[in-house]
Amino acid sequence: MNIEELSPQERRLWEAFPRGESVDLSSPDPAQNDPAFSEHWGQDRLVRAEVLVALLAGAIDAEPGQVAAVRLTGARIIGALNLGHAEVTVPLALTGCSFDEPPHLYWANMNSVHMMRCRLPGLVASGTRIDGHLWLEGSRVSNGLWLDGAHITGILNMSGVHLINPGGDALLADRLTVDANVYCDRDFMANGEVRLPGAHVGGQLIFRQARLHNPSGAALYASRLDVAANVFCDGGFSAQGEIRLRGARVGGYLSFVGAELSHPERTALNADDLSVETDVYCSDAFSADGTVSFAGAHISGQLSLRGAKLKNPSGTALSLQRLQAEEVLLTPAEPIEGTADMSYAKIGLLRDDKKTWAARLQLDGLQYETLDPPMTARERLDWLRRDTDGYAPQPYERLAHAYRTLGLDADGRSVLLAKARDRRQTQGLSRKVVGWGQDLLIGYGYRPFRAASWLVGLLAFGTIVFSLHKPAILNADDTPHFNAFFYTLDLLLPIGDLGQERLFSPEGVYQWIANFLVISGFILGLTVAAGATRALSRE
């Protein structure tokens, strides 16, 4: 490049470069420095992109003992800043600048890049390696920021950045690698899809106070995202469109505290197969209009939904299907609107509140070690009977086991009795008749001593009847003593002989009464034995 062709401001930049000095072209009037109005800036603030390219590509060397750098403030950069495949060993620092064309840094090897409070009609940095930080704080980027396949060894700072590409990719960062933290906070805004699938973050990923808008699709598409530390989507975070974290891995905790997610009648948060090393907080005024799904997720600590508001009336509001978690705190601020699916989840401690149970549940296959609070069997049975799939044996068995583990055997038996009764409703008429009999006599074996009450009643009935009408003696030569009580007891006992039944023979209707007592005693004896056997087998 011929230095004689440089404008005065370009010459200033050219001469400052070898010493890494800053060149400030901004106006003394702060109102004139907004890059959004750069088309009104004068000729004294224009810098050709080819001048920047020449300096960054090594047109001149650093002065001895100095660190060369391009440091420019308040310039309107015209032309194409094309550094594709370039080897850039010096820092690039632009502040409050405006670009007429999208910079192209694809597959370049760069030193630290700072573009703070700049206005860009796009930025293409696919495959770029930056040995240092990429600092875009406060900038506005239209038509997409492309970082797919890029590798940043320091921090990626997009605090306060506005990404504008409605209906398209606001941020395309598939397979991005950042060795330190990623900041998308402090009024970060994206109109369009933010894509981070397969990205790797070596530190923390921070979306605190961010606003994402892509209601027709995914607001944040981050399947298979790998974050070594914590992920923050809180502090006023909001998203219109799906938050997709399917198959992502978080090495610390995941916070959606107070976040507002909206994707009505569709999925608001897809965290299926998510892996989190500690806790997940969807709590403290967290709200979601649409499905929140942690299906197949593995959470080593607690999943907290304390104080949350979950809404998807026509479908599944919360899916914990196949979830594995040490603890689930399911105490939302109000009843869940929609189905809560906990089928086949494995939870160590499940804390809930009957005041906020969903009207529709799916509980088949749900496993838990402890319920807090355990509640009464009657209350928990109401919980089980909200299952939209109808009767299934496993939820009853699991609940009974939980009661027995707590030493509440009576509640456990009540649950199993309810299981038998609810199962009866699914059977044919003949089985229902048999079931009603078993229920009436011994409560399906879970109330075995109920048969004793029947025996006492029949014994009193027989004693009264045969006291009023003594049966005839079988052998006229004998003169045995008759005792109505022991005679009735002899009829009722299916085994043994008290010496009364074989000596006396009732006639007519009393013969029918005696036969009824014999058959009743046989049936009650068998049911008592069956109930006792079932009780012992449970022990």
Side-chain angles (χ1 to χ4, degrees):
M1 174 170 284
N2 189 348
I3 194 171
E4 300 301 327
E5 298 177 353
L6 298 179
S7 65
Q9 61 271 20
E10 291 173 343
R11 184 181 290 272
R12 285 177 57 192
L13 181 64
W14 192 274
E15 293 173 349
F17 171 80
R19 297 183 299 278
E21 295 177 349
S22 298
V23 174
D24 189 352
L25 304 180
S26 58
S27 169
D29 181 3
Q32 301 297 319
N33 290 323
D34 187 346
F37 303 104
S38 59
E39 63 270 16
H40 302 299
W41 292 353
Q43 292 291 323
D44 59 338
R45 299 180 69 171
L46 298 183
V47 175
R48 290 174 293 164
E50 60 185 286
V51 176
L52 300 182
V53 172
L55 293 173
L56 294 170
I60 57 176
D61 296 327
E63 289 186 2
Q66 302 293 324
V67 178
V70 172
R71 304 185 191 279
L72 180 61
T73 300
R76 176 180 173 184
I77 299 170
I78 58 176
L81 180 65
N82 192 339
L83 292 166
H85 300 281
E87 292 284 341
V88 179
T89 60
V90 297
L92 171 62
L94 305 175
T95 304
C97 294
S98 174
F99 287 80
D100 283 4
E101 299 182 32
H104 286 76
L105 311 180
Y106 54 86
W107 293 103
N109 287 328
M110 306 286 295
N111 202 290
S112 290
V113 176
H114 288 203
M115 296 182 181
M116 299 175 60
R117 302 190 302 281
C118 293
R119 185 172 183 268
L120 303 98
L123 175 59
V124 180
S126 302
T128 302
R129 178 182 174 88
I130 299 178
D131 289 319
H133 305 319
L134 175 56
W135 214 272
L136 302 174
E137 183 175 357
S139 293
R140 178 186 176 96
V141 184
S142 304
N143 304 313
L145 169 57
W146 292 12
L147 295 174
D148 50 309
H151 185 182
I152 301 168
T153 63
I155 292 171
L156 171 58
N157 187 345
M158 293 190 288
S159 296
V161 169
H162 288 191
L163 303 177
I164 312 297
N165 194 22
D169 296 330
L171 172 63
L172 179 65
D174 301 31
R175 304 176 308 283
L176 168 69
T177 298
V178 179
D179 293 348
N181 295 340
V182 175
Y183 296 93
C184 300
D185 59 347
R186 288 183 291 168
D187 197 36
F188 173 91
M189 189 273 286
N191 189 344
E193 185 171 313
V194 174
R195 292 184 55 85
L196 289 167
H200 175 80
V201 179
Q204 300 187 120
L205 175 59
I206 303 171
F207 276 96
R208 185 162 285 158
Q209 298 180 345
R211 292 170 293 141
L212 310 182
H213 182 85
N214 191 33
S216 62
L220 173 61
Y221 190 104
S223 296
R224 306 180 311 283
L225 171 70
D226 187 354
V227 180
N230 306 316
V231 176
F232 299 94
C233 297
D234 53 17
F237 176 88
S238 66
Q240 293 182 319
E242 180 181 354
I243 300 296
R244 190 176 182 88
L245 298 174
R246 184 165 188 168
R249 191 193 74 83
V250 178
Y253 62 85
L254 171 61
S255 175
F256 278 97
V257 171
E260 296 182 7
L261 310 183
S262 178
H263 205 206
E265 299 183 357
R266 289 174 286 181
T267 301
L269 173 59
N270 184 341
D272 295 356
D273 302 315
L274 171 73
S275 176
V276 178
E277 291 299 317
T278 56
D279 304 319
V280 176
Y281 302 102
C282 296
S283 57
D284 302 313
F286 168 86
S287 66
D289 187 356
T291 300
V292 172
S293 178
F294 286 92
H298 187 282
I299 300 171
S300 298
Q302 181 190 84
L303 169 59
S304 175
L305 291 156
R306 182 187 62 191
K309 296 180 180 180
L310 306 176
K311 175 183 176 183
N312 191 25
S314 62
T316 298
L318 175 65
S319 175
L320 304 182
Q321 189 182 57
R322 298 178 288 103
L323 168 75
Q324 295 185 48
E326 187 65 28
E327 180 180 353
V328 173
L329 186 56
L330 191 55
T331 54
E334 55 191 37
I336 297 173
E337 293 186 46
T339 301
D341 184 356
M342 293 187 280
S343 56
Y344 301 99
K346 294 182 179 180
I347 301 169
L349 172 60
L350 175 58
R351 300 180 187 270
D352 63 356
D353 184 348
K354 66 179 182 179
K355 295 179 182 178
T356 58
W357 285 342
R360 305 190 305 272
L361 295 169
Q362 290 183 320
L363 302 172
D364 191 21
L366 170 63
Q367 297 183 38
Y368 45 85
E369 296 300 322
T370 308
L371 292 171
D372 181 35
M375 303 184 193
T376 65
R378 184 186 297 274
E379 291 171 318
R380 282 294 175 187
L381 285 171
D382 175 53
W383 180 58
L384 295 187
R385 287 166 178 158
R386 297 181 182 217
D387 198 316
T388 58
D389 292 333
Y391 170 80
Q394 188 275 341
Y396 294 86
E397 295 286 351
R398 184 70 254 173
L399 180 57
H401 175 78
Y403 277 126
R404 291 198 295 269
T405 300
L406 294 172
L408 303 174
D409 293 334
D411 285 303
R413 289 192 298 271
S414 296
V415 171
L416 293 175
L417 175 57
K419 169 196 167 187
R421 288 172 173 169
D422 291 348
R423 178 175 180 268
R424 185 175 69 212
Q425 304 304 315
T426 68
Q427 297 175 328
L429 181 59
S430 60
R431 288 183 176 271
K432 283 183 179 179
V433 171
V434 173
W436 285 323
Q438 289 182 312
D439 194 359
L440 182 65
L441 293 174
I442 57 166
Y444 281 99
Y446 301 105
R447 300 288 187 267
F449 295 105
R450 184 179 295 177
S453 301
W454 285 101
L455 285 170
V456 170
L458 291 172
L459 180 60
F461 170 72
T463 300
I464 294 172
V465 168
F466 292 114
S467 293
L468 297 175
H469 191 282
K470 176 182 175 181
I473 300 173
L474 282 174
N475 190 345
D477 296 332
D478 295 333
T479 57
H481 175 73
F482 176 75
N483 186 298
F485 175 82
F486 285 107
Y487 178 73
T488 304
L489 185 59
D490 207 0
L491 293 173
L492 288 171
L493 291 176
I495 57 175
D497 184 5
L498 299 180
Q500 290 283 307
E501 181 183 358
R502 55 188 173 80
L503 296 177
F504 298 93
S505 176
E507 297 176 351
V509 67
Y510 297 101
Q511 179 65 54
W512 286 101
I513 292 174
N515 292 339
F516 168 74
L517 292 173
V518 170
I519 294 171
S520 298
F522 179 76
I523 293 174
L524 287 171
L526 288 179
T527 54
V528 168
T533 300
R534 181 178 295 180
L536 290 172
S537 67
R538 290 196 303 270
E539 298 300 326

